[in-house]
Amino acid sequence: MAGNRSRKAVRQSRALGIALTPKAEKYMQRRPYRPGEHGRGRVKESDYSVRLKEKQRLRAQYGIREAQMRKVWEEARRAEGMSGENLIELLEMRLDALVLRAGFARTIAQARQVVVHRHILVDGQLVDRPSFRVKPGQVVQVKPRSQASSQFMVAAQGQHADVLPIVPDYLKVELEKLRFELVRRPKRAEVPVTCDVQMVVEHYSR
């Protein structure tokens, strides 16, 4: 099962042109083209397909379904400010995304699993919903009983740093204690996702 998920992630990464996992990144260095027998050929993409692909890239980086993405988009559209920037900021405040940014996991799928398996506390309360939106000032930590497990001991030693971006300034992380605080709302320019957000806005606004 894990092998199938891994192969699916590699194939999806090649189709979208962006590495979604460390394994996919290594694979794409050897085969930097789309999957399939015609993967090396040139494809003329329509304006619609270009915008659709950009939306799919963003959604894949957060590992969410289309219904979830559209729900966040509607909230971003209604909020004050630029809709595209609002969208990225709201997605980034998801609990699973911040668990990944803090270095508690290597991939967004692993971060989601950590949350669903009830290893994470927010302000001392157990939260098992990856979509939970963390608010500025809230403290997130691995619950004490889970900290002795091998996966978190590895994380506490900083061994995921080789595959993750530098911790962004909107997080205050105490990795050895497996805890972090969201000090403020993220800004689009700081969020380590690859996305032409204007394309996503145009896709949803059509």
Side-chain angles (χ1 to χ4, degrees):
M1 182 66 75
N4 289 338
R5 284 197 300 267
S6 179
R7 285 192 292 272
K8 182 179 178 181
V10 169
R11 188 174 181 84
Q12 184 181 22
S13 296
R14 292 176 63 197
L16 296 175
I18 180 172
L20 300 174
T21 65
K23 180 178 179 179
E25 184 170 5
K26 293 179 180 178
Y27 197 93
M28 289 175 68
Q29 290 174 357
R30 300 197 306 270
R31 299 185 179 183
Y33 46 84
R34 294 176 297 110
E37 61 179 308
H38 303 297
R40 295 176 190 245
R42 292 185 178 182
V43 176
K44 185 176 180 180
E45 296 182 306
S46 66
D47 288 345
Y48 172 78
S49 64
V50 169
R51 287 161 176 75
L52 174 63
K53 184 176 181 179
E54 201 64 30
K55 184 265 295 183
Q56 291 173 329
R57 292 175 74 182
L58 178 60
R59 187 163 65 85
Q61 288 174 83
Y62 284 99
I64 60 176
R65 300 186 303 274
E66 177 61 25
Q68 294 174 296
M69 182 81 159
R70 187 169 287 277
K71 182 178 180 180
V72 179
W73 161 251
E74 290 299 329
E75 182 178 353
R77 185 177 58 82
R78 292 192 301 267
E80 293 184 5
M82 299 179 66
S83 299
E85 294 193 2
N86 290 340
L87 175 64
I88 301 292
E89 292 166 9
L90 291 173
L91 288 171
E92 187 65 11
M93 292 164 71
R94 287 173 54 97
L95 180 57
D96 57 353
L98 294 178
V99 165
L100 175 66
R101 302 287 179 247
F104 295 1
R106 290 176 68 85
T107 66
I108 191 65
Q110 189 179 79
R112 183 184 308 107
Q113 186 179 61
V114 162
V115 176
V116 170
H117 288 186
R118 303 169 68 84
H119 295 301
I120 300 295
L121 304 176
V122 179
D123 285 347
Q125 301 296 314
L126 185 68
V127 177
D128 58 5
R129 289 189 299 110
S131 62
F132 177 88
R133 185 170 299 155
V134 181
K135 298 176 183 177
Q138 289 190 310
V139 175
V140 179
Q141 67 181 98
V142 176
K143 68 181 183 183
R145 288 182 58 186
S146 300
Q147 291 185 14
S149 69
S150 59
Q151 65 173 328
F152 292 120
M153 291 179 67
V154 166
Q157 294 168 10
Q159 294 191 26
H160 299 331
D162 59 328
V163 297
L164 296 176
I166 296 174
V167 176
D169 289 341
Y170 46 86
L171 290 181
K172 179 182 177 182
V173 179
E174 298 175 89
L175 195 56
E176 67 283 356
K177 296 181 180 179
L178 291 169
R179 70 194 298 261
F180 68 85
E181 177 187 351
L182 178 63
V183 296
R184 58 175 171 78
R185 185 180 173 114
K187 298 178 181 177
R188 166 63 189 108
E190 304 172 295
V191 178
V193 295
T194 302
C195 175
D196 184 339
V197 69
Q198 183 57 34
M199 292 282 191
V200 180
V201 171
E202 292 174 7
H203 172 79
Y204 280 122
S205 301
R206 70 190 191 282

